[in-house]
Every structure is written in C-alpha cells, then in structure tokens.
Amino acid sequence: MSEADYHVHLPVAAQDSVQDFVDMAVRAEELGYEAVWLPETWGRDAVTIMTSIAHATDDVLIGSSIMNVYSRSPALLAQTAATLDEVSDGRFRLGIGPSGPAVIEGWHGIDFGNPLRRTREYVDIVKKVLRGDELDYEGEYFNLSGFRLRCEAPDPAPRVDVAAMGPKAVELAGRFGDGWHAILFTPDAMADRIEDFERGTELGDNDRGEQDVTLSLTCCALEDGERARHLTAQHAAFYVGAMGTYYRDSLARQGYEDEAHDVAAKWMNGDRDAAIDVFSDDMLDDFTAAGTPERAREELAKFAEVDGVDNVSIGFPRAASPAEIDATLEAFAPE
C-alpha cells in the first residue's frame, strides 16, 4: 500500500444516537486510524458529537469535514474551533467549506451567493481569531473590528482545511488553507486537482509539506461483495441525483457528463433503481472502493497511491448498518 495515512469519515446519514458516532470513533481509535472526521448536514449538530468523541477518546485526531461557511458566523466558528481544541487536548482540526445551494438555501434559508469569496473570508477571519489577533477586517461579506478572542488562544492553533471540488476552489484551498478535503474524485482527477492545489500553495507562499490533502472515499467491504457494491452505488447516486448540481458537475468534469446527467434525471423522476444502475462496475471503481474485503482493498490502493494524497478517509454508504460499518472499518484498518 502507499504511504497515505488512513482516516475515518464518520457516516453522513443519521444514526440511532449520538453514542453510535462515539462508538465508531472509539472503534476507529482502537483499530489504529489516525483521525476521525464528522460531516454536518441536516442531522445532529457536529459540535456536540465531536465534544462527546473528545471525551471518549485519547489519541485520535478529531475534525469537522465539513462545517459550512453560512450557518455560523466566522467568529463563532473560530470560537467553536478554539473550544473543541481545548476539550480534545489539542486534537481538533477544522474543516470548512461552502457545502452546496441545496443545503444552504433549502435548509438554512441563506442565499448561496459567491461561495469562493465567502470561503476565503471565513478562512482569513478564523485564522486571525485562532491566532489571538484583534479583528480588523474589511471584506465583501464581513466588516469586523474591536474584538479578539476573550480566552487564551490555542497554541498551536488548530489547522483550517478547506473542502473544494472545482479547480479554482481547490486552488483557493492551497493558497489560503492548511489543507484540502476532496470527495467523489477518480484517481486521475485527483492528480489533476492536486496540481491546482499545489499552484495555490505556491501563490500563497505556503509550505506544501505542512499542508494535507485528504480524500474522503466511499468504501464498503463485506463478505457479500454484491451487497457492498449495491450500497455504494446507491450512496453515489444519491449524491449526484439529490444534492444539487455540485456533484453532478464534478462527475461531468471527470469524463462522465452523460452518466451524471442520466443519474440526476432518473433520480429526480423518482426512478431510483435506474439511477443506481447507471453506475457500471468500471464507473463505481473509479469513485469508490467496494466489494469483498480483498477487492475493496485493491480498489482503495488506487486512490491511496495517487502522488500528493496524504490521507484517505474511509467513508460509508448512507444505508450501511452499524455491523456493515464495523466490518468495513476492520477490513481497511491500518497495518
């Protein structure tokens, strides 16, 4: 296998309880995973869960992947990061990004506007707050002055990673962030986007050795390999068909334009099975690692070996049961 570290991307779908997320994080720590990342969508809030995980674990890094740059102000997001860093004894990592218009407008009721500029301003402001600087900031979205973090600033400050999909957004992550979080990319597309990220690194005069590229990969490894692949195809079809245009456009940029539009059309017309069937074996293998444990590990290696990928974060299909999640965690556990 490659030198990429293995992380865990906790389930995006709601679980039965907060304790389920905590138990998965504890299990990940026991199996030797370096970090656990938690998304925040329209289920339980991520902050409460990450606090619970911090209290239940000792060594595993804990991060948000992602918290959006709309539902909390940048100052509040920085306060939250500082507090989570304290309760986790310095193990917290902040991952932020724009999410997408489906969630931001449909759930939060906020105009999506210019996500690139907004993300840039969030990164700038959050970093200032976490350094303990007094806020003196004039931007397109935020004009702030007169305050600094009332408690002692964390030292070192938590890193601020940026989630991005398009070339300019990935370049922004390299230029202003401490890392990039990627999702739903083929190995070839990851290599192309890493070039964008590293161009941003140069523009920002940053040290690439101090930045991380983390790929969140949907994985499922079961003795029933067909079940694993069906769950994974179902998950991918949901993202392309139900989550607005972001994922559809990303697939189109990666050479799957016809398939992306076909999935979206079938999903929106209510023909979910047909949308899932669009994901051929080759297409599924291009975006995920699924099947029997042996096959899934072989597929994972293609992503982990991409030059410039520092971490692969093992994610799970939305409909996977706790037992199927645990089996997948075991199958990919670091050696």
Side-chain angles (χ1 to χ4, degrees):
M1 299 291 280
S2 81
E3 296 180 359
D5 290 321
Y6 289 166
H7 296 181
V8 172
H9 192 269
L10 294 169
V12 68
Q15 302 299 299
D16 289 340
S17 69
V18 169
Q19 190 61 43
D20 287 339
F21 290 97
V22 174
D23 290 344
M24 289 176 206
V26 170
R27 182 66 171 144
E29 182 174 68
E30 291 172 347
L31 290 170
Y33 288 93
E34 182 179 285
V36 293
W37 297 93
L38 182 69
E40 186 175 66
T41 54
W42 54 93
R44 297 178 181 89
D45 80 275
V47 179
T48 304
I49 297 175
M50 288 188 289
T51 302
S52 300
I53 289 171
H55 288 310
T57 56
D58 298 310
D59 301 311
V60 71
L61 301 177
I62 302 164
S64 57
S65 183
I66 61 166
M67 296 168 78
N68 74 71
V69 296
Y70 291 86
S71 59
R72 297 174 179 86
S73 74
L76 177 57
L77 202 54
Q79 289 175 256
T80 302
T83 308
L84 283 166
D85 190 72
E86 180 179 349
V87 300
S88 66
D89 294 324
R91 291 183 286 137
F92 181 67
R93 304 291 185 267
L94 178 64
I96 64 174
S99 185
V103 173
I104 299 307
E105 297 180 354
W107 178 244
H108 294 290
I110 300 172
D111 180 29
F112 197 58
N114 182 345
L116 281 178
R117 179 65 199 182
R118 192 178 184 97
T119 301
R120 158 75 188 280
E121 293 189 17
Y122 262 74
V123 173
D124 287 345
I125 295 166
V126 167
K127 286 193 166 189
K128 281 179 177 288
V129 173
L130 291 176
R131 288 196 300 266
D133 295 348
E134 182 173 336
L135 276 182
D136 181 13
Y137 190 85
E138 293 185 10
E140 181 178 335
Y141 287 98
F142 298 98
N143 291 284
L144 309 170
S145 64
F147 290 88
R148 62 160 44 91
L149 194 63
R150 187 174 233 170
C151 56
E152 185 175 349
D155 185 20
R159 65 186 303 120
V160 181
D161 295 347
V162 178
M165 300 186 76
K168 286 298 182 184
V170 175
E171 182 183 292
L172 181 148
R175 186 172 182 180
F176 301 105
D178 298 313
W180 166 43
H181 285 232
I183 188 170
L184 208 62
F185 281 97
T186 70
D188 287 344
M190 273 301 296
D192 291 340
R193 293 290 79 80
I194 286 170
E195 291 182 5
D196 297 323
F197 179 76
E198 293 181 345
R199 181 170 58 254
T201 296
E202 293 178 5
L203 290 170
D205 197 24
N206 295 319
D207 181 353
R208 175 64 176 89
E210 297 296 320
Q211 295 175 309
D212 275 356
V213 169
T214 301
L215 170 64
S216 295
L217 186 69
T218 305
C219 301
C220 195
L222 306 173
E223 292 303 325
D224 184 349
E226 288 305 310
R227 163 75 176 169
R229 292 180 68 78
H230 177 76
L231 286 171
T232 306
Q234 182 185 56
H235 180 93
F238 169 80
Y239 265 80
V240 176
M243 293 296 290
T245 61
Y246 262 34
Y247 299 99
R248 184 188 70 196
D249 292 346
S250 180
L251 259 66
R253 284 193 296 267
Q254 297 176 66
Y256 286 101
E257 183 172 6
D258 291 342
E259 292 88 345
H261 287 287
D262 196 18
V263 170
K266 287 181 167 60
W267 191 275
M268 295 305 292
N269 286 332
D271 196 349
R272 307 294 168 78
D273 289 339
I276 294 168
D277 288 343
V278 174
F279 279 85
S280 65
D281 280 345
D282 288 344
M283 187 176 174
L284 196 64
D285 289 342
D286 242 358
F287 292 101
T288 70
T292 62
E294 182 180 11
R295 177 175 183 177
R297 284 191 289 264
E298 289 176 356
E299 296 301 329
L300 177 67
K302 298 186 306 188
F303 298 90
E305 292 169 357
V306 174
D307 188 31
V309 171
D310 301 295
N311 313 300
V312 176
S313 192
I314 307 299
F316 313 99
R318 297 171 65 250
S321 69
E324 289 165 336
I325 290 171
D326 191 65
T328 301
L329 280 173
E330 287 195 17
F332 294 115
E335 297 178 357

